[in-house]
Amino acid sequence: MPNKVNWYDIQQNTFTRWVNDELKYRGLFCKNLETDLKDGLKLINLIEVISGKKIGKYNKHPVIIQQKMENLNIALNFLVKEGLKFVNVGAEDIVSGNLRIILGLIWTIILRYEINRGGGDSDLLKWIQSKIPEYGIKNFTKDWNNGKALNGLINALRPDLCQDHKELDPKKKLANCTKGIDTAEKEMGVDKLILPEEMKHKKVDKHAMMTYLAQFRNLKPMKPAARVRVYGKGLHQGVQDCKAPFYIETPDDVKGKIEVKVLSPDGKELKHDTKKADDAPQGYGKMACSYVPSKPGTYKVHITLDGEHVPGSVFTVTVAEDHSIGGEGKIFCFFSTTSGNLKQRSDIQNAKTLLTAKKVHLRKDFVPWIPVDLMDRDDREAVFAKAGTRVLPIIIIDDKYVGDYEKLLALDETGKLDPLLKMDQQTLISEEEHKARLRRFSGGGTAGGTALPAAPFAAAAPEKKATSADKAKFCPNCGSKAGAGKFCTDCGAKL
């Protein structure tokens, strides 16, 4: 840990570990709270695990900003219905990586589903005081710095452990905290949500300590297999004939035989590869595993330690025939705002003109053109993988790659484009309604360079007024970078 550390760092570290402690039941892992929650998938899975309830339908393959915002709003609105209250929290804060807001959201979830499980923060303190009255605990910060109280709490719950807690030297803070945290993890299954150097720090965060200590009150039966953590895309989704990777991390002091078994949809065992990984976290051994599903369907991944299933096992994996970008029933058009290729720029404009003539822009589910150069790298690569090409524009209809402009034109000339667009099955809005919608797109601000739909979260703060700079940054019609003029140089729309 860096020398200059504050409560903010300790809180972020602890909350990230807590999130991963819950996500392990879904085979997921969060590296960074600022970026890893932005598509809504990990947040939705976290909520489902911790609440024990299903959220319902959401987009499982989000790559564009609208899909991510929809997922986040679904998650936040679910929490509101659960009775959680937020101040100044909205989907746009999570998409933009507002760490202060994200930490506040995670703390609200922890408070509701972890701390309040046995009462509240005052009840947690009273419970601790009843277990170790001799330590005179009055807070969740400085009273824990020297590690003696932690060892005393462990002894109160397990008299066979930390029997020397009263004789520990209070000046040896790091050693005491290390002993307590390691003992609690190995013998009681209390996850290391906080590290010894964080607990002994004079700026240790109250919320971090509460999150850690609440585990002692909510202890679960512990087996060695429960300390193994597994995660990776290959434990929840895949594509036929593509490698499905996942990882297994085992504490160094946990001994036993790890076994992996992958079953295909017809129940036959599938070959898998396992090798030692070089990037194991401190105190753990790590294995990198993968398998290649040969056909679509539901696969089962069993991971056991000496016959006992690890958290989350057996994993149910949905394998699709092709890569998905969550575009079922919709039309996505991807382009570049920075292309210097004259033919490509011409093709993009011609494709826009052709689809506008088909009145695609009047669909109720219309999505503005999406600039790939302003997308996150992983999302952009997912689009290219879906299309099998980097040639722009990329037209996706009903989650299937249709082609670029030349292919679009050929389909139109042969009468095959209209059946794909299914415009005769759409209820269209008027041009005036569309213009008003574009103003909402523009007024909603931008994230990742793409116009956002106005989808306010029920418990969010009042919407901020967009500045003139926000409105002028990108064209609300096509998403192109806007110049200083009143009209877009790409599509001619008024800015």
Side-chain angles (χ1 to χ4, degrees):
M1 173 177 286
N3 291 328
K4 292 184 178 180
V5 67
N6 55 47
W7 67 268
Y8 211 71
D9 300 312
I10 296 173
Q11 185 178 103
Q12 181 180 358
N13 293 339
T14 298
F15 286 6
T16 303
R17 297 178 195 118
W18 180 84
V19 167
N20 283 323
D21 193 43
E22 302 301 331
L23 288 181
K24 68 184 179 184
Y25 296 102
R26 295 290 177 91
L28 297 170
F29 186 78
C30 176
K31 291 183 179 179
N32 188 335
L33 289 175
E34 285 186 78
T35 57
D36 288 3
L37 302 184
K38 67 192 304 182
D39 64 8
L41 294 180
K42 288 184 174 67
L43 181 59
I44 287 173
N45 277 275
L46 170 66
I47 293 170
E48 288 191 338
V49 170
I50 197 68
S51 70
K53 299 177 182 179
K54 289 291 185 180
I55 278 185
K57 187 178 180 181
Y58 59 92
N59 196 310
K60 293 181 173 60
H61 306 280
V63 297
I64 67 173
I65 198 71
Q66 289 88 345
Q67 297 169 323
K68 297 177 182 182
M69 290 283 286
E70 288 171 2
N71 279 353
L72 290 169
N73 277 307
I74 288 171
L76 293 172
N77 281 316
F78 175 87
L79 291 175
V80 169
K81 292 178 181 177
E82 284 280 284
L84 280 72
K85 296 182 179 180
F86 303 100
V87 178
N88 296 333
V89 179
E92 64 277 4
D93 298 305
I94 304 172
V95 165
S96 62
N98 187 322
L99 183 58
R100 181 181 64 83
I101 296 294
I102 292 171
L103 290 178
L105 169 64
I106 298 301
W107 170 244
T108 303
I109 295 173
I110 292 173
L111 189 61
R112 168 65 171 80
Y113 295 105
E114 188 79 68
I115 308 296
N116 289 349
R117 189 187 303 177
D121 56 351
S122 61
D123 292 308
L124 177 59
L125 185 60
K126 291 177 182 176
W127 177 82
I128 290 172
Q129 291 169 338
S130 72
K131 297 298 179 183
I132 48 174
E134 66 271 29
Y135 283 97
I137 298 296
K138 297 179 181 178
N139 55 59
F140 292 102
T141 52
K142 63 182 181 180
D143 285 356
W144 300 89
N145 287 157
N146 66 22
K148 291 192 65 173
L150 174 61
N151 283 271
L153 180 61
I154 294 171
N155 179 255
L157 299 175
R158 283 279 304 273
D160 58 317
L161 302 174
C162 301
Q163 296 177 351
D164 61 345
H165 64 94
K166 292 181 180 180
E167 286 74 44
L168 294 176
D169 185 348
K171 294 181 180 179
K172 296 181 178 180
K173 297 180 180 180
L174 182 60
N176 297 340
C177 291
T178 300
K179 177 183 179 180
I181 290 173
D182 285 350
T183 301
E185 195 266 341
K186 294 175 183 178
E187 303 293 339
M188 303 171 71
V190 177
D191 290 297
K192 293 182 178 180
L193 301 185
I194 196 164
L195 299 181
E197 57 266 35
E198 295 170 336
M199 181 179 287
K200 81 176 186 67
H201 201 282
K202 63 181 180 180
K203 293 183 179 179
V204 65
D205 178 58
K206 170 185 174 181
H207 292 168
M209 282 300 300
M210 289 175 64
T211 303
Y212 174 68
L213 292 170
Q215 295 182 102
F216 288 90
R217 188 183 56 184
N218 305 325
L219 283 177
K220 306 168 186 175
M222 191 205 72
K223 295 180 180 179
R227 298 176 60 201
V228 178
R229 58 192 187 200
V230 297
Y231 59 90
K233 186 167 285 188
L235 297 178
H236 46 92
Q237 61 179 270
V239 177
Q240 72 170 12
D241 299 326
C242 293
K243 182 184 289 188
F246 61 95
Y247 304 91
I248 304 174
E249 294 180 351
T250 308
D252 290 339
D253 63 296
V254 170
K255 308 302 178 183
K257 184 179 180 181
I258 291 284
E259 289 187 296
V260 175
K261 184 164 62 174
V262 181
L263 300 181
S264 64
D266 54 10
K268 295 181 179 179
E269 188 167 351
L270 199 65
K271 179 183 176 182
H272 66 275
D273 294 323
T274 301
K275 62 181 180 180
K276 185 178 180 180
D278 298 327
D279 59 341
Q282 185 176 1
Y284 283 80
K286 183 175 181 178
M287 292 189 295
C289 310
S290 66
Y291 61 97
V292 179
S294 58
K295 58 184 177 181
T298 301
Y299 288 68
K300 299 286 185 179
V301 179
H302 300 244
I303 305 175
T304 58
L305 174 70
D306 288 342
E308 291 284 346
H309 284 279
V310 305
S313 180
V314 178
F315 295 93
T316 300
V317 185
T318 301
V319 173
E321 184 176 355
D322 190 14
H323 294 277
S324 173
I325 58 172
E328 292 83 357
K330 295 188 177 183
I331 300 173
F332 292 158
C333 305
F334 298 90
F335 76 111
S336 172
T337 65
T338 57
S339 174
N341 186 309
L342 293 179
K343 181 181 184 305
Q344 188 177 95
R345 292 178 67 87
S346 176
D347 284 351
I348 290 170
Q349 184 57 53
N350 289 334
K352 292 176 183 176
T353 301
L354 175 56
L355 292 176
T356 298
K358 299 289 186 181
K359 297 186 177 182
V360 167
H361 63 296
L362 300 182
R363 288 172 58 128
K364 286 188 175 182
D365 61 355
F366 167 73
V367 177
W369 279 59
I370 305 148
V372 294
D373 47 321
L374 300 178
M375 298 173 68
D376 291 340
R377 183 181 183 278
D378 289 346
D379 296 332
R380 179 168 60 249
E381 292 303 319
V383 171
F384 292 149
K386 175 70 178 177
T389 180
R390 292 175 178 265
V391 176
L392 299 170
I394 289 174
I395 312 298
I396 306 285
I397 300 177
D398 199 18
D399 209 39
K400 292 181 174 58
Y401 174 61
V402 172
D404 55 11
Y405 168 66
E406 291 181 357
K407 178 65 175 178
L408 203 66
L409 183 61
L411 289 171
D412 189 43
E413 290 175 344
T414 56
K416 297 179 180 178
L417 180 58
D418 288 341
L420 289 176
L421 296 175
K422 299 178 183 178
M423 293 301 295
D424 57 332
Q425 301 177 22
Q426 302 293 321
T427 301
L428 305 183
I429 63 175
S430 68
E431 291 285 355
E432 288 302 316
E433 289 173 318
H434 173 62
K435 290 178 181 178
R437 177 169 61 182
L438 291 182
R439 288 193 291 271
R440 292 197 301 274
F441 283 171
S442 179
T446 61
T450 308
L452 296 178
F457 159 52
E463 184 178 351
K464 297 178 181 179
K465 292 184 178 180
T467 64
S468 58
D470 292 330
K471 294 181 180 179
K473 192 172 183 181
F474 298 96
C475 171
N477 181 50
C478 69
S480 297
K481 287 183 178 179
K486 295 182 179 180
F487 297 90
C488 175
T489 55
D490 272 1
C491 69
K494 187 175 180 180
L495 299 174

